[in-house]
Amino acid sequence: MKQQIIKYLQILFPFIITVALWRLSVPWINPVGILAIIPIFYCSFIRPVHYFVPFAILICFLIDYKFNTVLMWTTCYCAFYAIMNIQSFIDLTHTNKSGIYAFMGFVGTIVSMIILSNLTLMNLVSGTIMFLILTIMYIPITTTIQVVKDD
């Protein structure tokens, strides 16, 4: 019985950590729950989890809603998901360092688009801080997911 409960918690952990990171929003460290993008990216592209994509689209939409961006994160996630599933040249499931370089490219592109949509010094600083926090927190969050998901 105990092993079954642990197994179910391991299956549910990516969903739980995504919701927790989205709900734990702090203005400068985790604005609008943006850290939820890390498990969304990791569990969709690096170590795919079954039935995670509809949930990831929902959370991206909720991040867009709280961030006040008109479907920016949702559209970019869906476009990246489509590109990764259509092509067969790049396989992110076999990348080194938990795919941090692919994540930096994904997030850097979106943050750059957000900064360039309204180029001010404050947007530049907040976008740079957001990019740095996301890339710094990527390894601890993905390591936590790996430890919990491994049997």
Side-chain angles (χ1 to χ4, degrees):
M1 182 68 170
K2 181 180 174 184
Q3 293 297 329
Q4 289 179 335
I5 292 172
I6 291 172
K7 180 183 172 191
Y8 289 128
L9 288 176
Q10 287 176 335
I11 292 170
L12 292 175
F13 186 73
F15 299 94
I16 294 168
I17 195 168
T18 303
V19 170
L21 288 172
W22 178 69
R23 291 290 298 158
L24 296 173
S25 59
V26 179
W28 281 98
I29 298 171
N30 188 14
V32 301
I34 198 69
L35 286 178
I37 290 294
I38 296 170
I40 287 172
F41 183 86
Y42 185 74
C43 294
S44 294
F45 304 115
I46 307 301
R47 291 183 84 185
V49 174
H50 296 296
Y51 307 110
F52 194 77
V53 174
F55 178 75
I57 292 171
L58 173 69
I59 296 295
C60 285
F61 177 76
L62 294 173
I63 288 172
D64 281 329
Y65 178 74
K66 285 176 77 175
F67 211 120
N68 206 12
T69 54
V70 182
L71 298 178
M72 174 70 77
W73 292 98
T74 307
T75 305
C76 290
Y77 171 78
C78 290
F80 195 76
Y81 187 79
I83 290 168
M84 294 312 297
N85 284 328
I86 291 172
Q87 59 84 32
S88 61
F89 182 69
I90 300 171
D91 183 18
L92 291 180
T93 59
H94 295 96
T95 58
N96 294 334
K97 299 179 186 173
S98 299
I100 187 148
Y101 298 123
F103 178 75
M104 288 171 66
F106 174 72
V107 170
T109 303
I110 299 171
V111 169
S112 298
M113 288 190 292
I114 291 172
I115 290 171
L116 293 175
S117 69
N118 186 16
L119 189 58
T120 62
L121 182 61
M122 187 61 188
N123 280 350
L124 182 65
V125 170
S126 63
T128 305
I129 290 172
M130 181 173 43
F131 178 76
L132 289 173
I133 288 173
L134 283 169
T135 54
I136 289 169
M137 293 303 294
Y138 184 80
I139 296 297
I141 292 172
T142 57
T143 304
T144 304
I145 294 171
Q146 285 175 358
V147 167
V148 171
K149 292 278 298 165
D150 289 338
D151 294 296

